[in-house]
Amino acid sequence: MQPLPWADDVSLAGRNTLRIAARAAAMCDVRDPSRIGEAFDLAAMKGMEVLVLGEGSNVLFAADYPGLVLCLTGDDCRILEQDDSRALIRAEAGMLWNELVHWTLARGWNGLENMALIPGTVGACPIQNIGAYGAEVGEFIETVEAFDRASGRIKRLSNSECAFGYRDSRFKHERDQWVITAVEFRLDKTRPLKMAYAGVPEELVAMGITEPKALHLAEAISRIRTRKLPNPALVGNAGSFFKNPMLPDAEANALKATYPELPVFPSGVDGYKKLSAAWLIEKAGWKGYREGDAGIAEQHALVLVNHGKASGAELLAVARKVVAAVQAQFGVVLEPEPRILGADF
Ligand code: FAD
Ligand code: EPU
Protein backbone atom coordinates (compact mmCIF):
# COMPACT_ATOMS: atom_id res chain seq x y z
CA MET A 1 0.00 0.00 0.00
CA GLN A 2 1.21 3.54 -0.81
CA PRO A 3 2.08 5.72 2.19
CA LEU A 4 -0.47 8.45 2.89
CA PRO A 5 0.40 11.78 1.20
CA TRP A 6 1.66 13.67 4.24
CA ALA A 7 3.10 17.22 3.99
CA ASP A 8 4.67 19.28 6.79
CA ASP A 9 4.28 23.04 7.36
CA VAL A 10 1.56 23.81 4.82
CA SER A 11 0.00 27.17 3.97
CA LEU A 12 -3.75 27.37 4.63
CA ALA A 13 -4.15 30.68 2.75
CA GLY A 14 -5.82 29.02 -0.24
CA ARG A 15 -7.72 26.57 1.97
CA ASN A 16 -10.05 28.98 3.80
CA THR A 17 -12.48 31.41 2.19
CA LEU A 18 -11.65 34.15 4.73
CA ARG A 19 -8.23 33.95 3.05
CA ILE A 20 -6.32 34.07 6.30
CA ALA A 21 -2.64 33.36 5.77
CA ALA A 22 -2.34 30.78 8.57
CA ARG A 23 -0.22 27.64 8.37
CA ALA A 24 -0.79 24.06 9.48
CA ALA A 25 1.91 21.87 11.02
CA ALA A 26 0.89 19.09 8.62
CA MET A 27 -1.69 18.16 6.01
CA CYS A 28 -2.81 14.82 4.65
CA ASP A 29 -5.33 13.94 1.92
CA VAL A 30 -7.26 10.70 2.34
CA ARG A 31 -9.34 9.28 -0.49
CA ASP A 32 -10.13 5.84 0.92
CA PRO A 33 -12.12 6.16 4.19
CA SER A 34 -10.65 2.86 5.42
CA ARG A 35 -7.32 4.74 5.82
CA ILE A 36 -8.65 7.50 8.10
CA GLY A 37 -7.58 5.55 11.20
CA GLU A 38 -4.04 5.37 9.83
CA ALA A 39 -3.92 9.19 9.48
CA PHE A 40 -5.07 9.58 13.11
CA ASP A 41 -2.43 7.06 14.25
CA LEU A 42 0.32 8.95 12.40
CA ALA A 43 -0.83 12.23 13.95
CA ALA A 44 -0.93 10.64 17.42
CA MET A 45 2.62 9.35 17.00
CA LYS A 46 3.73 12.94 16.35
CA GLY A 47 1.61 14.27 19.26
CA MET A 48 -0.69 16.20 16.90
CA GLU A 49 -4.39 17.01 17.12
CA VAL A 50 -6.40 16.51 13.92
CA LEU A 51 -8.69 19.01 12.17
CA VAL A 52 -10.91 17.78 9.35
CA LEU A 53 -11.12 20.50 6.73
CA GLY A 54 -13.44 20.70 3.72
CA GLU A 55 -13.39 23.83 1.57
CA GLY A 56 -12.65 26.02 4.60
CA SER A 57 -15.76 28.16 4.01
CA ASN A 58 -16.90 28.08 7.63
CA VAL A 59 -13.70 28.35 9.65
CA LEU A 60 -11.65 31.20 11.07
CA PHE A 61 -7.98 30.52 11.82
CA ALA A 62 -7.09 32.88 14.67
CA ALA A 63 -3.58 31.38 14.73
CA ASP A 64 -1.48 28.79 12.93
CA TYR A 65 -2.90 25.29 13.38
CA PRO A 66 -0.37 23.21 15.34
CA GLY A 67 -1.75 19.83 14.25
CA LEU A 68 -2.69 17.75 11.21
CA VAL A 69 -5.27 19.07 8.74
CA LEU A 70 -7.05 16.04 7.27
CA CYS A 71 -8.85 16.42 3.93
CA LEU A 72 -11.18 13.78 2.50
CA THR A 73 -10.89 13.71 -1.27
CA GLY A 74 -13.33 10.93 -2.24
CA ASP A 75 -16.03 12.60 -4.36
CA ASP A 76 -18.01 9.75 -5.86
CA CYS A 77 -21.77 10.17 -6.19
CA ARG A 78 -24.37 7.59 -7.16
CA ILE A 79 -28.01 6.65 -7.02
CA LEU A 80 -28.57 3.77 -4.59
CA GLU A 81 -32.30 3.30 -5.17
CA GLN A 82 -34.93 4.95 -7.32
CA ASP A 83 -38.49 4.56 -8.48
CA ASP A 84 -40.80 6.95 -10.34
CA SER A 85 -40.98 9.47 -7.51
CA ARG A 86 -38.21 8.87 -4.97
CA ALA A 87 -34.45 8.32 -5.01
CA LEU A 88 -31.76 7.63 -2.46
CA ILE A 89 -28.49 9.30 -3.46
CA ARG A 90 -25.10 8.75 -1.86
CA ALA A 91 -22.32 11.31 -2.13
CA GLU A 92 -18.83 11.09 -0.67
CA ALA A 93 -17.57 13.77 1.70
CA GLY A 94 -15.12 15.39 -0.71
CA MET A 95 -17.70 16.24 -3.39
CA LEU A 96 -18.45 19.95 -3.62
CA TRP A 97 -21.93 20.73 -2.35
CA ASN A 98 -22.99 22.87 -5.31
CA GLU A 99 -21.86 20.12 -7.69
CA LEU A 100 -24.12 17.68 -5.87
CA VAL A 101 -27.05 20.12 -6.14
CA HIS A 102 -26.61 20.34 -9.90
CA TRP A 103 -25.84 16.60 -10.27
CA THR A 104 -29.21 15.80 -8.69
CA LEU A 105 -31.13 18.49 -10.60
CA ALA A 106 -29.65 17.33 -13.92
CA ARG A 107 -31.15 13.88 -13.21
CA GLY A 108 -34.56 15.31 -12.38
CA TRP A 109 -34.31 14.87 -8.61
CA ASN A 110 -35.72 17.93 -6.83
CA GLY A 111 -35.08 19.03 -3.30
CA LEU A 112 -31.65 20.63 -2.97
CA GLU A 113 -32.38 23.60 -5.30
CA ASN A 114 -32.96 26.15 -2.52
CA MET A 115 -29.42 25.46 -1.29
CA ALA A 116 -27.74 26.06 -4.67
CA LEU A 117 -24.42 27.91 -4.57
CA ILE A 118 -23.72 27.35 -0.87
CA PRO A 119 -19.94 26.82 -0.79
CA GLY A 120 -18.33 23.82 0.86
CA THR A 121 -18.22 20.06 0.69
CA VAL A 122 -20.83 17.36 1.13
CA GLY A 123 -18.95 16.12 4.21
CA ALA A 124 -19.46 19.45 5.97
CA CYS A 125 -23.14 19.90 5.05
CA PRO A 126 -24.51 18.00 8.07
CA ILE A 127 -22.16 19.75 10.54
CA GLN A 128 -24.19 22.95 10.80
CA ASN A 129 -27.20 21.59 8.87
CA ILE A 130 -26.67 24.07 6.02
CA GLY A 131 -29.71 25.98 4.95
CA ALA A 132 -30.91 28.77 2.72
CA TYR A 133 -34.02 30.23 1.11
CA GLY A 134 -36.50 28.16 3.10
CA ALA A 135 -34.77 24.75 3.17
CA GLU A 136 -32.31 22.94 5.41
CA VAL A 137 -30.26 19.94 4.37
CA GLY A 138 -31.43 17.91 7.37
CA GLU A 139 -34.85 17.61 5.69
CA PHE A 140 -33.22 15.47 2.98
CA ILE A 141 -30.58 13.46 4.83
CA GLU A 142 -31.45 9.85 5.51
CA THR A 143 -28.06 8.60 6.71
CA VAL A 144 -24.69 10.08 7.59
CA GLU A 145 -21.75 7.71 7.35
CA ALA A 146 -18.87 8.69 9.62
CA PHE A 147 -15.61 7.43 11.06
CA ASP A 148 -16.01 7.25 14.84
CA ARG A 149 -12.74 8.18 16.53
CA ALA A 150 -13.77 6.46 19.76
CA SER A 151 -14.11 3.03 18.16
CA GLY A 152 -11.94 3.55 15.06
CA ARG A 153 -14.86 2.24 12.92
CA ILE A 154 -17.16 3.68 10.29
CA LYS A 155 -20.75 3.98 11.55
CA ARG A 156 -24.08 4.85 9.95
CA LEU A 157 -26.18 7.47 11.75
CA SER A 158 -29.86 7.87 10.98
CA ASN A 159 -31.42 11.31 10.54
CA SER A 160 -32.80 11.37 14.08
CA GLU A 161 -29.39 10.39 15.51
CA CYS A 162 -27.90 13.51 13.86
CA ALA A 163 -30.10 15.89 15.97
CA PHE A 164 -30.39 18.57 13.29
CA GLY A 165 -31.47 22.06 14.32
CA TYR A 166 -30.98 25.61 13.05
CA ARG A 167 -27.25 25.78 12.14
CA ASP A 168 -26.81 22.89 14.53
CA SER A 169 -26.35 19.12 14.74
CA ARG A 170 -24.91 16.44 16.97
CA PHE A 171 -21.59 16.83 15.09
CA LYS A 172 -21.15 20.39 16.35
CA HIS A 173 -21.38 19.19 19.94
CA GLU A 174 -19.28 16.02 19.54
CA ARG A 175 -16.82 18.02 17.51
CA ASP A 176 -13.78 15.84 17.28
CA GLN A 177 -15.49 12.48 17.45
CA TRP A 178 -16.75 12.10 13.88
CA VAL A 179 -15.21 12.31 10.44
CA ILE A 180 -18.06 12.30 7.95
CA THR A 181 -17.19 10.10 5.00
CA ALA A 182 -20.46 10.11 2.99
CA VAL A 183 -24.05 11.36 3.16
CA GLU A 184 -27.20 9.72 1.79
CA PHE A 185 -30.04 11.96 0.63
CA ARG A 186 -33.69 11.02 0.09
CA LEU A 187 -35.12 13.12 -2.74
CA ASP A 188 -38.70 13.19 -3.96
CA LYS A 189 -39.80 14.45 -7.39
CA THR A 190 -43.32 15.12 -6.18
CA ARG A 191 -42.23 17.53 -3.42
CA PRO A 192 -43.65 20.99 -4.17
CA LEU A 193 -41.09 23.72 -4.85
CA LYS A 194 -40.52 26.22 -2.04
CA MET A 195 -40.56 29.61 -3.70
CA ALA A 196 -41.88 31.98 -1.05
CA TYR A 197 -38.61 33.35 0.40
CA ALA A 198 -38.41 37.15 0.08
CA GLY A 199 -37.09 38.17 -3.33
CA VAL A 200 -37.43 34.75 -4.99
CA PRO A 201 -40.83 35.27 -6.72
CA GLU A 202 -39.60 38.66 -8.01
CA GLU A 203 -36.37 37.09 -9.34
CA LEU A 204 -38.33 34.40 -11.22
CA VAL A 205 -40.50 37.10 -12.79
CA ALA A 206 -37.37 39.08 -13.75
CA MET A 207 -36.04 35.89 -15.43
CA GLY A 208 -39.29 35.65 -17.42
CA ILE A 209 -40.21 32.30 -15.84
CA THR A 210 -43.95 31.69 -15.46
CA GLU A 211 -43.91 27.94 -14.70
CA PRO A 212 -40.83 27.46 -12.54
CA LYS A 213 -39.08 24.11 -12.33
CA ALA A 214 -36.45 23.22 -9.72
CA LEU A 215 -33.61 24.27 -12.05
CA HIS A 216 -35.17 27.73 -12.50
CA LEU A 217 -35.43 28.09 -8.75
CA ALA A 218 -31.76 27.12 -8.33
CA GLU A 219 -30.85 29.72 -10.94
CA ALA A 220 -32.99 32.45 -9.34
CA ILE A 221 -31.48 31.76 -5.91
CA SER A 222 -27.95 31.67 -7.34
CA ARG A 223 -28.55 35.11 -8.90
CA ILE A 224 -29.84 36.56 -5.62
CA ARG A 225 -26.92 35.08 -3.68
CA THR A 226 -24.40 36.46 -6.17
CA ARG A 227 -25.80 39.97 -5.69
CA LYS A 228 -26.24 39.76 -1.94
CA LEU A 229 -23.04 38.13 -0.71
CA PRO A 230 -19.44 39.06 -1.46
CA ASN A 231 -17.62 36.49 -3.61
CA PRO A 232 -14.88 34.83 -1.50
CA ALA A 233 -12.67 34.63 -4.61
CA LEU A 234 -12.61 38.44 -4.58
CA VAL A 235 -13.10 39.37 -0.92
CA GLY A 236 -12.37 36.88 1.84
CA ASN A 237 -15.45 35.91 3.86
CA ALA A 238 -17.19 32.94 5.47
CA GLY A 239 -20.79 33.84 4.58
CA SER A 240 -22.84 34.82 7.63
CA PHE A 241 -20.42 35.29 10.49
CA PHE A 242 -23.20 35.32 13.11
CA LYS A 243 -26.24 33.10 13.60
CA ASN A 244 -29.65 34.71 13.69
CA PRO A 245 -30.47 34.82 17.42
CA MET A 246 -33.39 32.81 18.78
CA LEU A 247 -35.21 34.56 21.63
CA PRO A 248 -38.11 33.50 23.84
CA ASP A 249 -41.38 34.88 22.38
CA ALA A 250 -41.82 37.47 25.14
CA GLU A 251 -38.34 38.97 24.61
CA ALA A 252 -38.69 38.95 20.82
CA ASN A 253 -42.11 40.63 21.07
CA ALA A 254 -40.74 43.29 23.42
CA LEU A 255 -37.90 44.14 20.99
CA LYS A 256 -40.34 44.21 18.09
CA ALA A 257 -42.55 46.64 20.03
CA THR A 258 -39.56 48.98 20.49
CA TYR A 259 -38.26 48.49 16.92
CA PRO A 260 -41.27 47.76 14.67
CA GLU A 261 -39.02 47.42 11.56
CA LEU A 262 -36.99 44.57 13.14
CA PRO A 263 -37.48 41.41 11.01
CA VAL A 264 -38.78 38.60 13.26
CA PHE A 265 -39.34 35.09 11.86
CA PRO A 266 -40.77 31.81 13.16
CA SER A 267 -37.91 29.72 14.58
CA GLY A 268 -39.32 26.24 14.20
CA VAL A 269 -38.94 25.81 17.97
CA ASP A 270 -42.00 26.27 20.20
CA GLY A 271 -41.85 29.41 22.33
CA TYR A 272 -38.95 30.97 20.39
CA LYS A 273 -38.66 33.48 17.53
CA LYS A 274 -35.71 34.15 15.27
CA LEU A 275 -34.44 37.70 14.79
CA SER A 276 -32.40 39.10 11.93
CA ALA A 277 -28.84 39.52 13.17
CA ALA A 278 -28.05 41.49 9.99
CA TRP A 279 -30.69 44.07 10.90
CA LEU A 280 -29.36 44.44 14.45
CA ILE A 281 -25.77 44.91 13.18
CA GLU A 282 -26.82 47.38 10.50
CA LYS A 283 -28.97 49.35 12.94
CA ALA A 284 -26.05 49.49 15.38
CA GLY A 285 -24.07 51.18 12.59
CA TRP A 286 -21.55 48.45 11.68
CA LYS A 287 -22.46 47.65 8.09
CA GLY A 288 -19.48 48.59 5.88
CA TYR A 289 -17.22 49.18 8.92
CA ARG A 290 -13.50 48.79 8.21
CA GLU A 291 -10.43 48.64 10.42
CA GLY A 292 -7.32 47.98 8.33
CA ASP A 293 -8.20 45.01 6.13
CA ALA A 294 -10.82 43.59 8.50
CA GLY A 295 -14.42 44.72 8.35
CA ILE A 296 -18.10 44.13 7.78
CA ALA A 297 -19.33 43.83 4.19
CA GLU A 298 -21.01 46.78 2.47
CA GLN A 299 -23.55 44.41 0.87
CA HIS A 300 -24.59 42.43 3.93
CA ALA A 301 -24.18 43.25 7.61
CA LEU A 302 -23.81 39.59 8.66
CA VAL A 303 -20.64 39.06 6.64
CA LEU A 304 -17.20 39.59 8.18
CA VAL A 305 -14.74 40.39 5.39
CA ASN A 306 -11.01 40.27 4.80
CA HIS A 307 -10.18 43.03 2.32
CA GLY A 308 -6.65 41.71 1.88
CA LYS A 309 -4.14 40.82 4.54
CA ALA A 310 -6.19 40.81 7.75
CA SER A 311 -5.09 38.18 10.24
CA GLY A 312 -7.54 35.91 12.00
CA ALA A 313 -6.93 37.86 15.22
CA GLU A 314 -7.76 41.17 13.50
CA LEU A 315 -10.96 39.72 12.05
CA LEU A 316 -11.94 38.35 15.46
CA ALA A 317 -11.33 41.75 17.05
CA VAL A 318 -13.87 43.33 14.67
CA ALA A 319 -16.35 40.52 15.29
CA ARG A 320 -16.04 40.99 19.06
CA LYS A 321 -16.69 44.74 18.73
CA VAL A 322 -19.84 44.01 16.73
CA VAL A 323 -21.09 41.60 19.38
CA ALA A 324 -20.41 44.11 22.17
CA ALA A 325 -22.18 46.94 20.30
CA VAL A 326 -25.27 44.84 19.50
CA GLN A 327 -25.45 43.62 23.08
CA ALA A 328 -25.12 47.16 24.45
CA GLN A 329 -27.85 48.52 22.18
CA PHE A 330 -30.36 45.65 22.03
CA GLY A 331 -29.42 43.31 24.88
CA VAL A 332 -29.01 40.47 22.36
CA VAL A 333 -25.86 38.33 22.38
CA LEU A 334 -24.79 37.22 18.90
CA GLU A 335 -23.02 33.91 18.44
CA PRO A 336 -20.52 33.23 15.66
CA GLU A 337 -21.50 30.68 13.03
CA PRO A 338 -18.07 29.53 11.76
CA ARG A 339 -15.73 27.36 13.78
CA ILE A 340 -13.00 29.48 15.35
CA LEU A 341 -9.64 27.77 15.67
CA GLY A 342 -6.82 29.01 17.87
CA ALA A 343 -8.88 31.33 20.09
CA ASP A 344 -11.99 31.36 22.25
CA PHE A 345 -14.57 33.78 20.98
P1 FAD B 1 -15.16 23.73 6.44
O1 FAD B 1 -15.26 25.20 6.54
O2 FAD B 1 -13.93 23.16 5.88
O3 FAD B 1 -15.44 23.09 7.87
C1 FAD B 1 -16.52 23.56 8.65
C2 FAD B 1 -16.63 22.66 9.88
O4 FAD B 1 -16.99 21.34 9.48
C3 FAD B 1 -15.31 22.50 10.66
O5 FAD B 1 -15.62 22.33 12.01
C4 FAD B 1 -14.73 21.21 10.10
O6 FAD B 1 -13.85 20.57 11.00
C5 FAD B 1 -15.99 20.40 9.88
N1 FAD B 1 -15.89 19.42 8.80
C6 FAD B 1 -15.68 19.66 7.49
N2 FAD B 1 -15.73 18.51 6.79
C7 FAD B 1 -15.94 17.53 7.68
C8 FAD B 1 -16.08 16.11 7.60
N3 FAD B 1 -15.99 15.45 6.44
N4 FAD B 1 -16.29 15.41 8.75
C9 FAD B 1 -16.36 16.03 9.94
N5 FAD B 1 -16.24 17.36 10.09
C10 FAD B 1 -16.04 18.10 8.97
N6 FAD B 1 -23.91 28.09 5.12
C11 FAD B 1 -25.25 27.89 5.16
O7 FAD B 1 -25.75 27.06 5.93
N7 FAD B 1 -26.09 28.58 4.33
C12 FAD B 1 -25.65 29.50 3.46
O8 FAD B 1 -26.44 30.11 2.74
C13 FAD B 1 -24.24 29.74 3.40
N8 FAD B 1 -23.75 30.67 2.54
C14 FAD B 1 -22.40 30.88 2.51
C15 FAD B 1 -21.92 31.83 1.60
C16 FAD B 1 -20.56 32.09 1.52
C17 FAD B 1 -20.07 33.10 0.53
C18 FAD B 1 -19.66 31.37 2.35
C19 FAD B 1 -18.19 31.62 2.24
C20 FAD B 1 -20.13 30.43 3.26
C21 FAD B 1 -21.51 30.19 3.36
N9 FAD B 1 -22.05 29.24 4.26
C22 FAD B 1 -23.40 29.00 4.27
C23 FAD B 1 -21.16 28.51 5.19
C24 FAD B 1 -20.49 27.27 4.54
O9 FAD B 1 -20.64 27.28 3.16
C25 FAD B 1 -21.07 25.97 5.09
O10 FAD B 1 -20.95 25.90 6.48
C26 FAD B 1 -20.38 24.73 4.50
O11 FAD B 1 -21.08 23.57 4.84
C27 FAD B 1 -18.93 24.59 4.96
O12 FAD B 1 -18.34 23.57 4.17
P2 FAD B 1 -16.77 23.40 4.10
O13 FAD B 1 -16.47 22.17 3.33
O14 FAD B 1 -16.14 24.64 3.60
O15 FAD B 1 -16.43 23.17 5.64
N1 EPU C 1 -30.92 42.62 6.43
C1 EPU C 1 -30.51 43.82 6.97
N2 EPU C 1 -29.27 44.29 6.65
C2 EPU C 1 -28.43 43.61 5.82
C3 EPU C 1 -28.86 42.39 5.27
C4 EPU C 1 -30.11 41.91 5.60
O1 EPU C 1 -31.23 44.47 7.72
O2 EPU C 1 -27.33 44.10 5.59
C5 EPU C 1 -32.26 42.10 6.75
C6 EPU C 1 -33.09 41.97 5.48
O3 EPU C 1 -33.81 43.14 5.30
C7 EPU C 1 -33.97 40.78 5.73
C8 EPU C 1 -33.26 39.98 6.81
O4 EPU C 1 -32.16 40.78 7.25
O5 EPU C 1 -35.20 41.17 6.25
C9 EPU C 1 -32.80 38.63 6.33
O6 EPU C 1 -31.79 38.80 5.34
P1 EPU C 1 -31.34 37.60 4.37
O7 EPU C 1 -32.50 37.14 3.56
O8 EPU C 1 -30.13 38.04 3.65
O9 EPU C 1 -31.02 36.40 5.35
P2 EPU C 1 -30.11 36.33 6.64
O10 EPU C 1 -30.97 36.00 7.80
O11 EPU C 1 -29.26 37.51 6.79
C10 EPU C 1 -29.76 33.78 6.39
C11 EPU C 1 -28.63 32.81 6.49
C12 EPU C 1 -27.84 32.77 5.20
C13 EPU C 1 -28.77 32.33 4.08
C14 EPU C 1 -29.90 33.36 3.99
C15 EPU C 1 -30.94 32.97 2.96
C16 EPU C 1 -28.02 32.71 8.82
C17 EPU C 1 -27.02 33.08 9.86
N3 EPU C 1 -27.76 33.15 7.59
O12 EPU C 1 -29.18 35.07 6.26
O13 EPU C 1 -26.84 31.76 5.35
O14 EPU C 1 -28.10 32.27 2.85
O15 EPU C 1 -30.57 33.44 5.27
O16 EPU C 1 -31.68 31.92 3.44
O17 EPU C 1 -28.98 32.01 9.11
C18 EPU C 1 -24.61 31.41 6.07
O18 EPU C 1 -25.09 30.67 6.95
O19 EPU C 1 -23.38 31.59 5.94
C19 EPU C 1 -25.51 32.11 5.17
C20 EPU C 1 -25.10 32.95 4.22
Side-chain angles (χ1 to χ4, degrees):
M1 213 187 311
Q2 294 279 327
L4 286 173
W6 180 287
D8 288 315
D9 188 24
V10 176
S11 167
L12 294 170
R15 310 290 296 239
N16 71 99
T17 61
L18 269 166
R19 301 168 85 186
I20 296 166
R23 301 190 75 79
M27 187 178 279
C28 178
D29 286 350
V30 175
R31 175 164 281 274
D32 176 356
S34 72
R35 300 193 69 186
I36 293 174
E38 201 182 323
F40 275 99
D41 290 347
L42 271 175
M45 271 165 47
K46 294 170 188 267
M48 288 180 178
E49 289 294 309
V50 177
L51 169 71
V52 186
L53 192 66
E55 229 192 342
S57 65
N58 218 22
V59 288
L60 186 154
F61 290 103
D64 288 342
Y65 184 69
L68 169 68
V69 168
L70 177 66
C71 305
L72 299 189
T73 56
D75 58 358
D76 182 50
C77 181
R78 60 199 155 92
I79 298 175
L80 296 178
E81 293 168 11
Q82 64 181 319
D83 60 24
D84 288 346
S85 58
R86 281 161 44 98
L88 183 64
I89 289 162
R90 180 181 196 278
E92 287 185 327
M95 185 177 198
L96 289 180
W97 169 258
N98 194 44
E99 283 181 15
L100 173 68
V101 172
H102 287 280
W103 191 97
T104 55
L105 292 176
R107 286 159 183 77
W109 295 108
N110 300 354
L112 307 183
E113 56 278 358
N114 293 59
M115 292 171 281
L117 216 62
I118 296 182
T121 53
V122 167
C125 80
I127 304 286
Q128 70 158 4
N129 182 21
I130 59 168
Y133 295 86
E136 284 182 341
V137 75
E139 300 166 43
F140 303 96
I141 291 179
E142 191 157 292
T143 306
V144 170
E145 199 179 88
F147 173 84
D148 172 18
R149 281 185 74 177
S151 64
R153 305 202 9 211
I154 290 185
K155 293 195 173 159
R156 289 173 60 77
L157 304 171
S158 67
N159 182 296
S160 62
E161 288 175 308
C162 296
F164 292 121
Y166 165 64
R167 296 294 187 271
D168 197 26
S169 74
R170 166 182 194 165
F171 308 107
K172 271 203 154 177
H173 301 280
E174 298 172 2
R175 188 149 256 161
D176 292 318
Q177 186 180 343
W178 304 100
V179 181
I180 295 174
T181 52
V183 183
E184 291 174 11
F185 301 87
R186 178 67 71 181
L187 302 180
D188 186 343
K189 276 186 186 159
T190 62
R191 180 179 180 273
L193 298 180
K194 285 192 173 180
M195 296 183 286
Y197 197 94
V200 172
E202 295 82 349
E203 193 66 31
L204 287 165
V205 169
M207 287 163 59
I209 305 297
T210 47
E211 287 178 34
K213 304 273 188 297
L215 253 178
H216 298 127
L217 186 50
E219 171 64 16
I221 286 169
S222 299
R223 288 179 183 216
I224 298 172
R225 293 182 65 97
T226 303
R227 279 201 304 271
K228 241 201 231 177
L229 297 170
N231 178 352
L234 305 175
V235 182
N237 75 88
S240 300
F241 193 80
F242 299 102
K243 294 192 263 188
N244 285 325
M246 308 241 286
L247 255 58
D249 285 343
E251 287 175 36
N253 294 342
L255 264 179
K256 180 83 181 163
T258 314
Y259 303 99
E261 336 80 272
L262 168 67
V264 176
F265 306 101
S267 72
V269 178
D270 273 353
Y272 285 82
K273 291 200 168 76
K274 206 194 274 177
L275 312 185
S276 161
W279 188 92
L280 297 171
I281 295 168
E282 182 170 350
K283 190 78 178 168
W286 290 79
K287 190 169 176 173
Y289 175 81
R290 184 165 177 173
E291 196 175 301
D293 275 346
I296 300 295
E298 297 273 1
Q299 293 105 302
H300 202 297
L302 259 190
V303 182
L304 184 70
V305 284
N306 181 358
H307 291 284
K309 293 193 162 56
S311 66
E314 287 164 344
L315 288 159
L316 266 191
V318 168
R320 288 192 177 112
K321 286 182 186 176
V322 169
V323 172
V326 167
Q327 184 171 12
Q329 187 163 345
F330 302 103
V332 175
V333 181
L334 297 179
E335 282 178 36
E337 181 192 282
R339 175 165 183 187
I340 293 163
L341 290 137
D344 290 326
F345 189 69

